């Protein structure tokens, strides 16, 4: 079953041929950024020397239009975006787009009904009330990262939304992080790498890394039935081809992996901490009241002592 949505990295055609040969039966699409002169993609600019050859490869593709905020009203930026989407369809047959702005998503769907429109994780959808606001013009939703450790909430969304549900397995941001909007704004619109705005918090409370929005390959079975597709992040962290292949293989085959090896972002665990099934099950069902609970901090301290 074609379950996996994977990131574009700037590699020659042989890389994508090998991805197709080894994993093609599992790949739903490869996501890549909208050209920066049209709209920011929501991440720092990436190398694109091989973009043209990638667009001509046989793997299915999804284009990203997901800055955390738009530079102007959606109605003002939509014409250029829709024009580029038409060109991508005409030139390469691409008919899938991920969007972070709900009004823009509606405008794209109205102008290009043949396109599958996905709601980005940056749309922040994690309640049924939010589904009501987008369900008429969004074909899929990447659930907000605060649901990755909330199985009750995920069951509620699974029974609410009739479209496809996607989970990002290794983003590793802190769920509900108070710095998230500014961090993603800097990634989308700055020409330099963004500051890791949660760094001071993580220095003071490093155990919070265990609460991050990541799922290890060996723990995917806890989510079976709650998603239609799984998305691998890593446009920066998986640039090395060998690491890209290793991480993708581990997830597809559900091999054992450590959280510091899955290509997560700056809030990922940095140490080789083993995550037991018992611990992971507990935090899938906890009330997230970290002010009164010491489960994660105690587990983190004990794991470091065992190294």
């Amino acid at each position: 079953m074609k379950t996996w949505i994977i990131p574009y990295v700037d590699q020659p055609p042989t890389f994508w041929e090998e991805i197709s040969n080894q994993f093609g039966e599992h790949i739903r699409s490869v996501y890549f950024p909208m050209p920066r002169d049209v709209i920011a993609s929501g991440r720092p600019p990436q190398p694109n020397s091989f973009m043209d050859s990638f667009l001509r490869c046989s793997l299915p593709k999804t284009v990203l239009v997901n800055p955390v905020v738009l530079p102007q009203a959606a109605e003002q930026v939509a014409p250029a975006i829709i024009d580029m989407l038409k060109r991508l369809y005409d030139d390469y047959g691409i008919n899938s787009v991920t969007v972070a702005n709900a009004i823009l998503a509606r405008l794209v769907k109205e102008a290009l009904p043949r396109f599958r429109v996905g709601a980005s994780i940056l749309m922040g959808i994690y309640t049924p009330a939010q589904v009501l606001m987008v369900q008429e013009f969004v074909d899929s939703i990447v659930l907000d990262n605060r649901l990755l450790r909330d199985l009750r909430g995920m069951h509620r969304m699974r029974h609410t939304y009739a479209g496809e549900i996607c989970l990002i397995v290794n983003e590793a941001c802190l769920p509900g992080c108070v710095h998230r909007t500014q961090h993603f704004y800097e990634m989308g619109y700055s020409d330099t790498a963004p500051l890791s705005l949660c760094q001071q918090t993580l220095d003071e409370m490093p155990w919070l890394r265990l609460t991050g929005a990541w799922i290890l390959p060996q723990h995917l079975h806890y989510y079976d039935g709650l998603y239609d597709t799984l998305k691998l992040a890593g446009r920066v962290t998986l640039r090395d081809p060998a690491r890209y292949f290793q991480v993708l293989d581990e997830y597809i085959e559900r091999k054992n992996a450590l959280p510091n090896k899955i290509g997560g972002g700056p809030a990922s665990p940095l140490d080789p901490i083993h995550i037991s099934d018992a611990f992971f099950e507990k935090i899938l069902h906890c009330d997230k009241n970290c002010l009164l609970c010491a489960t994660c901090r105690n587990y983190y301290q004990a794991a470091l002592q065992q190294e």
Side-chain angles (χ1 to χ4, degrees), residues 201-270:
T201 299
L202 292 171
D203 289 343
E204 296 168 351
M205 295 177 285
W207 56 268
L208 280 175
R209 295 180 182 277
L210 296 186
T211 73
W214 44 267
I215 308 168
L216 296 177
Q218 63 267 33
H219 293 148
L220 282 172
H221 64 91
Y222 291 111
Y223 300 84
D224 287 343
L226 297 176
Y227 63 84
D228 299 286
T229 57
L230 297 168
K231 187 173 182 179
L232 190 67
R235 281 180 271 174
V236 174
T237 58
L238 298 182
R239 283 182 182 172
D240 175 68
R243 191 177 187 200
Y244 193 117
F245 274 82
Q246 178 181 355
V247 172
L248 180 57
D249 178 68
E250 288 172 346
Y251 271 106
I252 289 176
E253 299 298 332
R254 300 192 176 189
K255 298 177 180 178
N256 287 335
L258 297 174
N260 64 317
K261 297 293 187 180
I262 59 174
S268 303
L270 303 180

Coordinates of all heavy atoms in Angstrom, one line a residue, residues 201-270:
T201 N 14.7 26.9 26.6 CA 13.7 26.0 27.3 C 14.3 24.6 27.4 O 14.2 23.9 28.4 CB 12.4 26.0 26.6 OG1 11.8 27.3 26.5 CG2 11.4 25.0 27.3
L202 N 14.9 24.1 26.3 CA 15.4 22.8 26.3 C 16.7 22.6 27.1 O 17.0 21.6 27.7 CB 15.7 22.3 24.8 CG 14.4 22.1 24.0 CD1 14.8 21.9 22.5 CD2 13.6 21.0 24.5
D203 N 17.4 23.7 27.2 CA 18.6 23.7 28.0 C 18.2 23.6 29.5 O 18.9 22.9 30.3 CB 19.4 25.0 27.9 CG 20.2 25.0 26.5 OD1 20.3 23.9 25.9 OD2 20.6 26.1 26.1
E204 N 17.1 24.3 29.8 CA 16.6 24.3 31.2 C 15.9 23.0 31.6 O 15.9 22.5 32.7 CB 15.7 25.5 31.5 CG 16.5 26.8 31.3 CD 15.5 28.0 31.3 OE1 14.3 27.8 31.2 OE2 16.0 29.1 31.4
M205 N 15.1 22.4 30.6 CA 14.3 21.2 30.8 C 14.5 20.3 29.7 O 13.7 20.0 28.8 CB 12.9 21.6 30.9 CG 12.5 22.5 32.1 SD 10.8 23.0 32.2 CE 10.8 24.3 30.9
P206 N 15.7 19.7 29.6 CA 16.0 18.8 28.4 C 15.1 17.6 28.3 O 14.9 17.0 27.2 CB 17.5 18.3 28.7 CG 17.7 18.5 30.2 CD 16.8 19.7 30.5
W207 N 14.4 17.2 29.4 CA 13.5 16.0 29.4 C 12.3 16.3 28.5 O 11.6 15.4 28.0 CB 13.1 15.7 30.8 CG 12.4 16.8 31.5 CD1 13.0 17.7 32.3 CD2 11.0 17.2 31.5 NE1 12.1 18.6 32.8 CE2 10.9 18.3 32.3 CE3 9.9 16.7 30.8 CZ2 9.7 19.0 32.5 CZ3 8.7 17.3 31.0 CH2 8.6 18.5 31.9
L208 N 12.0 17.6 28.2 CA 10.9 17.9 27.3 C 11.1 17.3 25.9 O 10.2 17.1 25.1 CB 10.8 19.5 27.2 CG 10.0 20.2 28.3 CD1 10.1 21.7 28.1 CD2 8.6 19.7 28.4
R209 N 12.4 17.0 25.5 CA 12.6 16.4 24.2 C 11.9 15.0 24.1 O 11.6 14.6 23.0 CB 14.1 16.1 24.1 CG 15.0 17.4 24.0 CD 16.4 17.1 23.8 NE 17.2 18.4 23.8 CZ 17.4 19.1 22.7 NH1 16.9 18.8 21.6 NH2 18.1 20.2 22.8
L210 N 11.6 14.4 25.2 CA 10.8 13.1 25.2 C 9.4 13.4 24.9 O 8.7 12.4 24.5 CB 11.0 12.4 26.5 CG 12.4 11.9 26.9 CD1 12.3 11.1 28.2 CD2 13.0 11.1 25.8
T211 N 8.9 14.6 25.0 CA 7.5 14.9 24.8 C 7.3 15.3 23.3 O 6.2 15.7 22.9 CB 7.0 16.0 25.7 OG1 7.5 17.3 25.3 CG2 7.3 15.7 27.1
G212 N 8.4 15.4 22.5 CA 8.3 15.9 21.2 C 7.4 15.1 20.3 O 7.0 13.9 20.6
A213 N 7.1 15.7 19.1 CA 6.1 15.0 18.2 C 6.9 14.1 17.3 O 7.1 14.4 16.1 CB 5.4 16.1 17.4
W214 N 7.3 13.0 17.8 CA 7.9 11.9 17.0 C 7.4 10.6 17.4 O 7.0 10.3 18.5 CB 9.5 12.0 17.2 CG 9.9 12.1 18.6 CD1 10.3 13.3 19.2 CD2 10.2 11.1 19.5 NE1 10.7 13.0 20.5 CE2 10.6 11.7 20.7 CE3 10.0 9.7 19.5 CZ2 10.9 11.0 21.9 CZ3 10.4 9.0 20.6 CH2 10.8 9.6 21.8
I215 N 7.4 9.7 16.4 CA 7.0 8.3 16.6 C 8.1 7.4 16.1 O 8.5 7.6 14.9 CB 5.7 8.0 15.8 CG1 4.6 9.0 16.1 CG2 5.3 6.5 16.1 CD1 3.4 8.8 15.2
L216 N 8.6 6.6 16.9 CA 9.7 5.7 16.4 C 9.1 4.6 15.5 O 7.9 4.2 15.6 CB 10.4 5.0 17.6 CG 11.2 6.0 18.5 CD1 11.7 5.2 19.7 CD2 12.2 6.7 17.7
P217 N 9.9 4.0 14.6 CA 9.3 3.0 13.7 C 8.7 1.8 14.4 O 7.6 1.3 14.0 CB 10.6 2.6 12.9 CG 11.5 3.7 12.9 CD 11.3 4.4 14.2
Q218 N 9.3 1.4 15.5 CA 8.8 0.3 16.2 C 7.5 0.6 17.0 O 6.9 -0.4 17.5 CB 9.9 -0.3 17.2 CG 10.3 0.7 18.3 CD 11.5 1.5 17.9 OE1 11.7 1.8 16.8 NE2 12.4 1.8 18.9
H219 N 7.1 1.8 17.0 CA 5.9 2.2 17.7 C 4.7 2.6 16.8 O 3.7 3.0 17.3 CB 6.2 3.3 18.7 CG 7.1 2.9 19.9 ND1 8.0 3.8 20.5 CD2 7.2 1.7 20.5 CE1 8.6 3.1 21.4 NE2 8.2 1.9 21.4
L220 N 4.9 2.4 15.5 CA 3.9 2.8 14.6 C 2.6 2.0 14.8 O 1.5 2.4 14.5 CB 4.4 2.7 13.1 CG 5.3 3.8 12.6 CD1 5.8 3.5 11.3 CD2 4.5 5.1 12.6
H221 N 2.8 0.8 15.3 CA 1.6 -0.1 15.4 C 0.6 0.4 16.4 O -0.6 0.1 16.3 CB 2.0 -1.5 15.9 CG 2.7 -1.6 17.2 ND1 1.9 -1.8 18.4 CD2 4.0 -1.4 17.6 CE1 2.7 -1.8 19.4 NE2 4.0 -1.6 19.0
Y222 N 1.0 1.3 17.3 CA 0.0 1.9 18.2 C -1.0 2.8 17.4 O -2.1 3.2 17.9 CB 0.7 2.8 19.2 CG 1.5 2.0 20.2 CD1 2.9 2.0 20.3 CD2 0.8 1.1 21.2 CE1 3.6 1.3 21.2 CE2 1.6 0.4 22.1 CZ 2.9 0.5 22.1 OH 3.7 -0.3 23.0
Y223 N -0.6 3.3 16.2 CA -1.4 4.2 15.4 C -2.2 3.5 14.3 O -2.9 4.2 13.5 CB -0.5 5.3 14.9 CG 0.2 6.1 15.9 CD1 1.4 5.7 16.5 CD2 -0.3 7.3 16.4 CE1 2.0 6.4 17.5 CE2 0.3 8.0 17.4 CZ 1.5 7.6 17.9 OH 2.1 8.3 18.9
D224 N -2.0 2.2 14.1 CA -2.7 1.6 13.0 C -4.2 1.8 13.1 O -4.8 1.7 14.1 CB -2.4 0.1 13.1 CG -1.0 -0.3 12.7 OD1 -0.3 0.6 12.0 OD2 -0.5 -1.4 13.0
G225 N -4.8 2.1 11.9 CA -6.2 2.4 11.8 C -6.5 3.9 12.0 O -7.7 4.3 11.8
L226 N -5.6 4.7 12.5 CA -5.8 6.1 12.8 C -5.3 7.1 11.7 O -5.5 8.3 11.8 CB -5.2 6.5 14.1 CG -5.7 5.7 15.3 CD1 -5.0 6.1 16.6 CD2 -7.2 6.0 15.5
Y227 N -4.7 6.5 10.6 CA -4.1 7.4 9.6 C -4.3 6.7 8.2 O -4.6 5.5 8.2 CB -2.6 7.6 9.8 CG -1.8 6.4 9.8 CD1 -1.3 5.9 8.6 CD2 -1.5 5.7 11.0 CE1 -0.6 4.7 8.5 CE2 -0.7 4.5 10.9 CZ -0.3 4.0 9.7 OH 0.4 2.9 9.7
D228 N -4.2 7.5 7.2 CA -4.2 6.9 5.8 C -2.8 7.0 5.2 O -2.4 6.1 4.5 CB -5.1 7.7 4.9 CG -6.6 7.6 5.4 OD1 -7.2 6.6 5.3 OD2 -7.0 8.6 6.0
T229 N -2.0 8.0 5.6 CA -0.7 8.2 5.1 C 0.2 8.6 6.2 O -0.2 9.2 7.2 CB -0.6 9.2 3.9 OG1 -1.1 10.5 4.4 CG2 -1.3 8.8 2.7
L230 N 1.5 8.4 6.0 CA 2.6 8.8 7.0 C 3.6 9.7 6.2 O 3.9 9.4 5.1 CB 3.2 7.6 7.6 CG 2.4 6.7 8.4 CD1 3.1 5.4 8.8 CD2 1.9 7.4 9.7
K231 N 4.0 10.7 6.9 CA 4.9 11.6 6.2 C 6.3 11.7 7.0 O 6.3 11.8 8.2 CB 4.3 13.0 6.2 CG 5.1 14.1 5.4 CD 4.3 15.4 5.3 CE 5.0 16.4 4.5 NZ 4.2 17.7 4.4
L232 N 7.3 11.6 6.2 CA 8.7 11.7 6.7 C 9.2 13.1 6.5 O 9.2 13.6 5.4 CB 9.6 10.7 6.0 CG 11.0 10.4 6.6 CD1 10.9 9.8 7.9 CD2 11.8 9.6 5.6
A233 N 9.6 13.8 7.6 CA 10.2 15.1 7.5 C 11.7 14.9 7.3 O 12.3 13.8 7.5 CB 10.0 15.9 8.7
G234 N 12.4 15.9 6.8 CA 13.9 15.8 6.7 C 14.5 16.4 5.5 O 15.5 15.9 5.0
R235 N 13.9 17.6 5.0 CA 14.6 18.2 3.9 C 16.0 18.7 4.2 O 16.8 18.8 3.3 CB 13.7 19.4 3.4 CG 12.5 19.0 2.6 CD 11.7 20.2 2.2 NE 10.7 20.5 3.2 CZ 9.9 21.6 3.2 NH1 10.1 22.5 2.2 NH2 9.0 21.8 4.1
V236 N 16.3 18.9 5.5 CA 17.7 19.3 5.9 C 18.4 18.1 6.5 O 19.5 17.7 6.2 CB 17.6 20.5 6.9 CG1 19.0 20.8 7.4 CG2 17.1 21.7 6.1
T237 N 17.7 17.4 7.5 CA 18.3 16.4 8.3 C 18.6 15.1 7.5 O 19.4 14.3 7.9 CB 17.5 16.1 9.5 OG1 16.2 15.6 9.1 CG2 17.3 17.3 10.4
L238 N 17.9 14.9 6.4 CA 18.1 13.7 5.6 C 18.8 14.0 4.2 O 18.6 13.3 3.3 CB 16.8 13.0 5.4 CG 16.1 12.5 6.6 CD1 14.8 11.8 6.2 CD2 17.0 11.6 7.5
R239 N 19.6 15.1 4.2 CA 20.2 15.4 2.9 C 21.2 14.3 2.5 O 21.5 14.1 1.3 CB 20.9 16.7 3.0 CG 20.0 17.9 2.9 CD 20.8 19.2 3.0 NE 19.9 20.4 2.9 CZ 20.4 21.6 3.1 NH1 21.7 21.8 3.4 NH2 19.5 22.6 3.1
D240 N 21.9 13.7 3.5 CA 22.8 12.6 3.1 C 22.1 11.4 2.6 O 21.2 10.9 3.3 CB 23.6 12.2 4.4 CG 24.5 11.1 4.1 OD1 25.5 11.2 3.4 OD2 24.3 10.0 4.7
P241 N 22.4 11.0 1.4 CA 21.6 9.9 0.8 C 21.6 8.6 1.6 O 20.6 7.9 1.7 CB 22.3 9.6 -0.6 CG 23.0 11.0 -0.9 CD 23.4 11.5 0.4
A242 N 22.7 8.2 2.2 CA 22.8 7.0 3.0 C 21.8 7.1 4.2 O 21.1 6.1 4.5 CB 24.2 6.7 3.4
R243 N 21.8 8.2 4.8 CA 20.9 8.4 6.0 C 19.5 8.4 5.5 O 18.6 7.8 6.2 CB 21.3 9.7 6.7 CG 20.6 9.7 8.1 CD 20.9 11.0 8.9 NE 20.4 10.9 10.2 CZ 20.2 12.0 11.0 NH1 20.6 13.1 10.6 NH2 19.7 11.8 12.2
Y244 N 19.2 9.0 4.4 CA 17.8 9.1 3.9 C 17.3 7.6 3.7 O 16.2 7.3 4.2 CB 17.8 9.8 2.6 CG 16.5 10.2 2.0 CD1 16.1 11.6 1.9 CD2 15.5 9.3 1.6 CE1 14.9 12.0 1.4 CE2 14.3 9.7 1.1 CZ 14.0 11.0 1.0 OH 12.8 11.4 0.5
F245 N 18.1 6.8 3.0 CA 17.7 5.4 2.7 C 17.5 4.7 4.0 O 16.6 3.9 4.2 CB 18.7 4.8 1.8 CG 18.5 5.0 0.4 CD1 18.9 6.1 -0.3 CD2 17.8 4.0 -0.4 CE1 18.7 6.3 -1.6 CE2 17.6 4.2 -1.7 CZ 18.1 5.4 -2.4
Q246 N 18.4 4.8 5.0 CA 18.4 4.1 6.2 C 17.1 4.4 7.0 O 16.4 3.5 7.5 CB 19.6 4.4 7.1 CG 19.6 3.7 8.4 CD 20.8 4.0 9.3 OE1 21.7 4.7 8.8 NE2 20.8 3.5 10.5
V247 N 16.8 5.7 7.2 CA 15.7 6.1 8.0 C 14.4 5.7 7.3 O 13.5 5.2 7.9 CB 15.7 7.7 8.2 CG1 14.4 8.1 8.8 CG2 16.9 8.0 9.1
L248 N 14.3 5.9 5.9 CA 13.1 5.5 5.2 C 12.9 4.0 5.4 O 11.8 3.5 5.6 CB 13.2 5.9 3.8 CG 12.0 5.5 2.9 CD1 10.7 6.1 3.4 CD2 12.3 6.0 1.4
D249 N 13.9 3.2 5.2 CA 13.8 1.7 5.3 C 13.4 1.3 6.7 O 12.6 0.4 6.9 CB 15.2 1.1 5.0 CG 15.2 -0.4 5.2 OD1 14.5 -1.1 4.4 OD2 15.8 -0.9 6.1
E250 N 13.9 2.0 7.8 CA 13.6 1.7 9.1 C 12.1 1.9 9.4 O 11.4 1.1 10.1 CB 14.4 2.5 10.1 CG 15.9 2.0 10.2 CD 16.7 2.9 11.0 OE1 16.3 4.1 11.3 OE2 17.9 2.5 11.4
Y251 N 11.6 3.0 8.8 CA 10.2 3.3 9.0 C 9.3 2.3 8.2 O 8.3 1.8 8.8 CB 9.9 4.7 8.7 CG 10.0 5.7 9.9 CD1 11.1 6.5 9.9 CD2 9.1 5.7 10.9 CE1 11.3 7.4 11.0 CE2 9.3 6.5 12.0 CZ 10.4 7.4 12.0 OH 10.5 8.2 13.1
I252 N 9.6 2.1 7.0 CA 8.8 1.2 6.2 C 8.7 -0.2 6.8 O 7.7 -0.8 6.8 CB 9.3 1.2 4.7 CG1 8.9 2.5 4.1 CG2 8.6 0.1 4.0 CD1 9.5 2.7 2.7
E253 N 9.9 -0.7 7.2 CA 10.0 -2.0 7.8 C 9.7 -2.1 9.3 O 9.7 -3.2 9.9 CB 11.4 -2.6 7.5 CG 11.7 -2.7 6.0 CD 10.8 -3.6 5.3 OE1 10.3 -4.6 5.9 OE2 10.6 -3.4 4.1
R254 N 9.5 -0.9 9.9 CA 9.2 -0.8 11.3 C 10.3 -1.5 12.2 O 10.1 -2.2 13.1 CB 7.8 -1.4 11.7 CG 6.7 -0.7 10.9 CD 5.3 -1.1 11.5 NE 4.3 -0.3 10.8 CZ 3.0 -0.2 11.2 NH1 2.6 -1.0 12.2 NH2 2.2 0.5 10.5
K255 N 11.5 -1.1 11.8 CA 12.7 -1.6 12.6 C 12.9 -0.8 13.8 O 12.4 0.3 13.9 CB 13.9 -1.5 11.7 CG 13.9 -2.4 10.4 CD 15.1 -2.2 9.6 CE 15.1 -3.1 8.3 NZ 16.3 -2.9 7.5
N256 N 13.6 -1.3 14.8 CA 13.9 -0.6 16.0 C 14.9 0.6 15.7 O 15.9 0.4 14.9 CB 14.6 -1.5 17.0 CG 13.6 -2.4 17.6 OD1 12.4 -2.1 17.7 ND2 14.0 -3.6 18.2
A257 N 14.6 1.7 16.2 CA 15.4 2.9 16.0 C 15.4 3.8 17.3 O 14.5 3.7 18.1 CB 14.9 3.7 14.9
L258 N 16.5 4.5 17.5 CA 16.6 5.5 18.6 C 16.1 6.8 18.1 O 16.2 7.2 16.9 CB 18.0 5.6 19.1 CG 18.6 4.3 19.6 CD1 20.1 4.5 19.9 CD2 17.9 3.8 20.9
P259 N 15.5 7.6 19.0 CA 15.0 8.9 18.6 C 16.0 9.9 18.1 O 15.6 10.9 17.4 CB 14.2 9.4 19.9 CG 14.9 8.7 21.0 CD 15.3 7.4 20.4
N260 N 17.2 9.8 18.4 CA 18.2 10.7 17.9 C 18.7 10.3 16.5 O 19.6 11.0 15.9 CB 19.4 10.8 18.9 CG 20.2 9.4 19.0 OD1 19.5 8.4 19.1 ND2 21.5 9.5 19.0
K261 N 18.2 9.3 15.9 CA 18.6 8.8 14.6 C 17.6 8.8 13.6 O 17.7 8.3 12.5 CB 19.1 7.3 14.8 CG 20.3 7.2 15.7 CD 21.6 7.8 15.1 CE 22.8 7.5 15.9 NZ 24.0 8.2 15.4
I262 N 16.4 9.5 13.8 CA 15.3 9.4 12.9 C 15.2 10.7 12.0 O 14.2 10.8 11.2 CB 14.0 9.2 13.6 CG1 13.7 10.3 14.6 CG2 14.0 7.8 14.3 CD1 12.3 10.2 15.3
G263 N 16.2 11.6 12.1 CA 16.1 12.8 11.2 C 15.2 13.8 11.7 O 14.6 14.6 11.0
G264 N 15.0 13.9 13.0 CA 14.2 14.9 13.6 C 14.9 16.3 13.7 O 16.0 16.4 13.4
G265 N 14.1 17.3 14.1 CA 14.6 18.7 14.1 C 15.3 19.0 15.4 O 15.7 18.1 16.2
P266 N 15.5 20.3 15.7 CA 16.3 20.8 16.8 C 15.8 20.4 18.2 O 16.5 20.5 19.2 CB 16.4 22.3 16.6 CG 15.2 22.6 15.8 CD 15.0 21.4 14.9
A267 N 14.5 20.0 18.3 CA 13.9 19.7 19.6 C 14.0 18.2 19.8 O 13.4 17.7 20.8 CB 12.5 20.2 19.7
S268 N 14.6 17.4 18.9 CA 14.7 16.0 19.0 C 15.7 15.6 20.2 O 16.5 16.4 20.6 CB 15.3 15.4 17.8 OG 14.6 15.7 16.6
P269 N 15.5 14.4 20.8 CA 16.5 13.9 21.7 C 17.8 13.8 21.0 O 17.9 13.3 19.9 CB 15.9 12.5 22.1 CG 14.5 12.6 21.9 CD 14.3 13.5 20.7
L270 N 18.9 14.3 21.7 CA 20.2 14.3 21.1 C 21.0 13.1 21.6 O 22.0 12.8 21.0 CB 20.9 15.6 21.5 CG 20.2 16.9 21.1 CD1 21.1 18.1 21.6 CD2 20.0 17.0 19.7

